[in-house]
Amino acid sequence: MLFALICKDKPGSLQVRLDTRPEHIAFLEGLNGDKKLGFAGPFLDADGKPNGSLVVVEAADLAGAEKLSAADPYAKAGLFENVEIRQWNWTFNKPAAS
């Protein structure tokens, strides 16, 4: 099942995000290779700077989604003020399974 990881950065933490980005991208590429990543990208503030993330992952259950979320280098670096994990149903414009 799919889970949306809705992550809000701590105020003033842009440099943590920038410094950790290469490891975060490698982590997402690994999830993608394992077919556990639906899609991902940053939320942006009024100035167009990243201030959070939306990551949709495939996991067997909430515990599995929590484990993936905790393994993200951004989470390990303490970037996020909070993370909300919600089960999600992709209804419209879902890509065809390959």
Side-chain angles (χ1 to χ4, degrees), residues 41 71 80 95:
F80 301 131

Side-chain angles (χ1 to χ4, degrees), residues 1 3 5 24 27-28 30-32 34-38 55-76 80 83 85:
M1 61 186 77
F3 290 87
L5 314 179
H24 171 71
F27 171 75
L28 293 179
L31 289 180
N32 200 43
D34 291 341
K35 303 211 182 293
K36 293 182 180 179
L37 180 65
V55 180
V56 175
V57 297
E58 176 77 32
D61 53 25
L62 179 59
E66 289 170 341
K67 185 176 177 181
L68 289 175
S69 177
D72 185 331
Y74 279 168
K76 289 181 176 182
F80 301 131
V83 177
I85 302 176

Side-chain angles (χ1 to χ4, degrees), residues 5-21:
L5 314 179
I6 304 163
C7 312
K8 180 179 178 185
D9 292 2
K10 291 178 181 173
S13 61
L14 180 58
Q15 193 60 52
V16 173
R17 176 177 277 275
L18 296 174
D19 292 345
T20 313
R21 189 170 190 277

Side-chain angles (χ1 to χ4, degrees), residues 77-91:
L79 174 63
F80 301 131
E81 179 175 84
N82 61 56
V83 177
E84 181 180 2
I85 302 176
R86 299 188 59 185
Q87 190 173 345
W88 185 68
N89 183 23
W90 195 337
T91 305

